Amino acid sequence: MRLFRNVVGGIALALFVAGVNFLILRETLFTASVAVPLAGSGILGAGWFALWLATAARRAQGTGGGPMTSVVGSVFALGICGMVYAFAARAGGSWDLTKEGRKDLAPQTVLVLESLTQPVEVICFFVKAGDDRVMTAQDKTRRFLERCQAHTEHLQVSFVDPQQHPEQVEKYGALGVQKSQVGSV
């Protein structure tokens, strides 16, 4: 069991080193040469950790170290979660895991965005009402426009509360909001 655990740990370490080296060379996490070794390292590392915990638990049964093993295991698990979060946060991207690809921009949209040569200003009018539906709509709109901004530097986006800035509503003639509604909603 010890020999098997050491082999698994060695392979996990070698894959981790290879993955980090490819990450440094490629400067992106999302290529097969980086993701495959790091994923393999994570899987084998988790296997090594499970084997190590099993061995430690077996030893602890005779020495009364059971609770300490739980603490050490929890600290290691938290460390692994922290590393995964750090990689995900640094990547700064998102994946569309839907079968239909609903979260990706259409190729035509990307083409239009990449062909922009002059600034385009997008003003979104949302009432800050605390309503879940309004907050969800605003969040979805913000994420969509952020995906659009990733394809062009010519897109400026701003969010305006029509109750706080009725002059903006009037200036742009926002549809669906009458002057009498602004400030009284």
Side-chain angles (χ1 to χ4, degrees):
M1 174 94 134
R2 183 176 180 185
L3 175 65
F4 181 71
R5 185 184 76 217
N6 289 341
V7 169
V8 169
I11 294 171
L13 185 60
L15 285 173
F16 180 76
V17 169
V20 169
N21 282 314
F22 281 125
L23 179 62
I24 291 169
L25 290 173
R26 304 271 188 215
E27 294 183 354
T28 180
L29 182 64
F30 303 108
T31 61
S33 61
V34 175
V36 170
L38 288 178
S41 169
I43 292 168
L44 289 175
W48 172 86
F49 182 68
L51 291 171
W52 178 82
L53 278 179
T55 303
R58 211 174 301 123
R59 278 192 219 140
Q61 286 177 352
T63 61
M68 192 58 182
T69 303
S70 298
V71 170
V72 170
S74 298
V75 169
F76 276 117
L78 185 61
I80 291 169
C81 290
M83 285 179 54
V84 168
Y85 176 76
F87 273 114
R90 184 170 180 253
S94 64
W95 297 300
D96 181 9
L97 300 177
T98 61
K99 186 176 181 180
E100 304 84 21
R102 292 178 294 164
K103 302 294 181 185
D104 286 336
L105 294 176
Q108 299 89 339
T109 304
V110 172
L111 187 63
V112 168
L113 290 168
E114 290 176 347
S115 67
L116 289 176
T117 58
Q118 295 183 4
V120 174
E121 186 176 2
V122 176
I123 301 171
C124 305
F125 291 96
F126 282 98
V127 177
K128 291 185 175 55
D131 182 14
D132 286 342
R133 291 178 295 173
V134 173
M135 301 278 285
T136 301
Q138 184 174 357
D139 198 38
K140 285 182 178 182
T141 303
R142 184 180 311 275
R143 283 182 296 193
F144 170 74
L145 291 171
E146 285 172 355
R147 286 196 306 268
C148 290
Q149 284 180 313
H151 293 282
T152 183
E153 59 189 32
H154 297 290
L155 188 65
Q156 289 94 29
V157 177
S158 60
F159 285 80
V160 175
D161 184 348
Q163 291 179 337
Q164 293 180 354
H165 301 284
E167 71 281 356
Q168 295 283 338
V169 175
E170 220 171 285
K171 177 180 177 183
Y172 294 106
L175 300 175
V177 179
Q178 298 173 0
K179 189 174 181 180
S180 62
Q181 290 177 323
V182 176
S184 64
V185 176

